[in-house]
Each structure stands twice: as C-alpha cells, then as structure tokens.
Amino acid sequence: MNEIEVDNLSHLSKNVATDNIDNINNDIELETIQNDNNNRNYNNTDIELETEPNNNNNNNNNNNNNNNNNSNNNNNNNNNNNNDKNEITNKNENGENEKINIFLSIKLYFIQYFKKWKGGEKSPARADLEEIGWSWLTSFIGILVLALLHYRVTVEKETIFLLGSFAASAVLIFGAPKSPLAQPRNLVLGHIVSATVGSIVRVALVYTNAQTEVACALAVSLAIVGMHFTKSIHPPGGATALICVMSAEQRWRGFYYIFVPVASGSLTMLLTALIVNNFARKRKYPVFWW
C-alpha cells in the first residue's frame, strides 16, 4: 500500500473513533437526562409523601389549637364566675364589716359620753369670809333698790319693775363679779335680747292660740341663740324670755316688757353694782365694758 492509502485509512479510523465517542457521549447524556427525570420524579413523590403527613400534622395541630381555645374559653368562663362569686362574697363581707364598724362607733361614742359624766376637774376653792360678806351686802342692796322701785312706784301705775330673772343676775354681778357672764354687756344686752325674743314668740304663737308649751321652749332656745350672736350670754336672760311668754298681757302687745321692767331694771342693777362692788377691797367691777 502506498502512503496515500495509509493516510486515508488512518483518517477513516479517526473519524470512526470520534463517531463512536460522540455516540457514547450522547448515550451518557440520555442516561443522565433519564436519571435526572427519575430523580425528579422520586423527589416529587418523596415531597408529596412528606407533605401528606405534614398536612395531617397541621390539621391535628389546628384541632389541638381549637381544643385548647375551647378549654381556655371554659377556663375564662370559670374564672369570671369565680370572680363574680368573689365580688358577691366581698360585698357581703364589706357590708358585715360596715355594720360592725357602725356598732363599734356607737359603742365608743356612748363610752366616751358616759365618761364625761365623771368630770375630772376639782371644784374651785370656797370664797373667804370677806368675799362672802361683800356678796351678801351688795346683793341685798341691789335687790332692795329694785323692790323699792317696784312696790313704791310702778305697782301704783299697774306695771312691774322686779323680775325673778333679776335675782339670778344678782347672783352673778354681786356673787361672782369677775365672771365674764356678769359684765355690763352681758347683763344689759343679754336681758334686752332675751326680752325681745320672748315678745316676738309671744305675739307669734300665744296670741294665735298656738301651743304654749312650744312657745316656752322656743323662747328660751332662741334667746340663747340671740345671746350667742351678740356675745352677750347671760344665764338669767333665758328666764327673762320665759317670763315674757308666761306672763299676762301687757301694753304694746307685750313689747312694753322690753323697756319696763327689763331694760330699766337691768340698767338699775348695773348702776348699783358699779357703786357697791367697788367699795370692796378685793373687788373691781367691771372687768370689761364691751
């Protein structure tokens, strides 16, 4: 064989070999494609198989969550019921506690109230003989002056000048001249305020055929209020108001009573107290005027 034929044969063999290699590569590619497809199918089936139990698990979880929610709702309802019961119980306990507190407050009040009856302070010392003597002398002179004016002057004119309440005033201004209740403001203004109140109550209730008992109580209580407002508390003033309601009808529908005997008599007593009290060595009257 010549060289040309040898070259041709070698070229042919090379071509055949390359063709075989290409065929082999194609077969390998086909196999790999098939393998890939098979793997994908397997994977898909595996995924489907995996998703099915996952879905079942999810459904089970949802059911469990629903059951848990139901149980939570039941628990909440039970808690609400328990809270309502507790509120009712607390209200009942609070009501009982309030009753107990009220009872204890009333009990303590009455305990303190009756303790006040015991007093606690010592009585003041007795006045000395000199003070007692001057109290007798000054009160004798004071009432004597009023009695003389009453029986020697005013009785003939069908009026009065001497009241029972003046005797109580004499105890204060002649027996305790240092007392705040015995000072001129209290003596004069206290009697005038009380007489005014008594006259008004008499006109409003007694003359209108109202109950005299109510008129008596109202006259004294309102007289005390009036003396408080005018800073003229004078214990005999209550008697002055009461006498006005109980006495017989006088001139000026009873308002004459304010001037005679109340104002005139209290001023007469004040003048007498100024004169006779200051003769005593240990006395000074008044302590204050207004």
Side-chain angles (χ1 to χ4, degrees), residues 185-186 189-190 193 197 221-234 290:
R185 178 191 179 103
N186 301 75
L189 191 58
V193 169
V197 171
S221 58
L222 289 178
I224 294 172
V225 172
M227 286 187 286
H228 269 300
F229 274 115
T230 56
K231 292 173 59 177
S232 60
I233 285 289
H234 188 63
W290 199 255

Side-chain angles (χ1 to χ4, degrees), residues 116-253:
K116 293 178 181 179
W117 289 23
K118 297 165 73 174
E121 297 182 5
K122 294 182 178 180
S123 60
R126 188 184 64 183
D128 56 22
L129 292 177
E130 182 182 356
E131 184 65 22
I132 294 172
W134 277 108
S135 295
W136 171 82
L137 180 61
T138 53
S139 59
F140 176 82
I141 295 172
I143 295 300
L144 179 62
V145 171
L146 291 177
L148 289 172
L149 291 172
H150 175 75
Y151 288 106
R152 302 292 176 89
V153 178
T154 57
V155 169
E156 296 178 356
K157 297 180 180 180
E158 297 180 354
T159 187
I160 59 175
F161 202 81
L162 187 62
L163 291 175
S165 58
F166 288 162
S169 294
V171 174
L172 285 173
I173 63 174
F174 300 121
K178 293 181 181 180
S179 170
L181 304 179
Q183 304 311 306
R185 178 191 179 103
N186 301 75
L187 172 64
V188 178
L189 191 58
H191 275 297
I192 292 174
V193 169
S194 299
T196 303
V197 171
S199 298
I200 293 171
V201 171
R202 180 184 177 90
V203 171
L205 296 180
V206 177
Y207 287 167
T208 56
N209 295 322
Q211 291 183 351
T212 305
E213 298 88 346
V214 176
C216 292
L218 197 60
V220 176
S221 58
L222 289 178
I224 294 172
V225 172
M227 286 187 286
H228 269 300
F229 274 115
T230 56
K231 292 173 59 177
S232 60
I233 285 289
H234 188 63
T240 300
L242 183 61
I243 292 169
C244 181
V245 174
M246 295 177 63
S247 63
E249 183 177 354
Q250 297 184 27
R251 287 176 283 183
W252 302 353
R253 300 288 288 180

Side-chain angles (χ1 to χ4, degrees), residues 35-50:
N35 289 326
D36 290 336
N37 290 329
N38 289 327
N39 289 325
R40 287 177 182 173
N41 289 327
Y42 286 133
N43 290 327
N44 289 328
T45 54
D46 290 336
I47 290 167
E48 288 177 356
L49 291 172
E50 288 177 355

Side-chain angles (χ1 to χ4, degrees), residues 9 15 66 74 95-96 102-103 120 209 235 260 266:
L9 287 172
N15 290 331
N66 290 326
N74 291 326
E96 291 177 357
I102 291 171
F103 175 76
N209 295 322
V260 179
S266 59

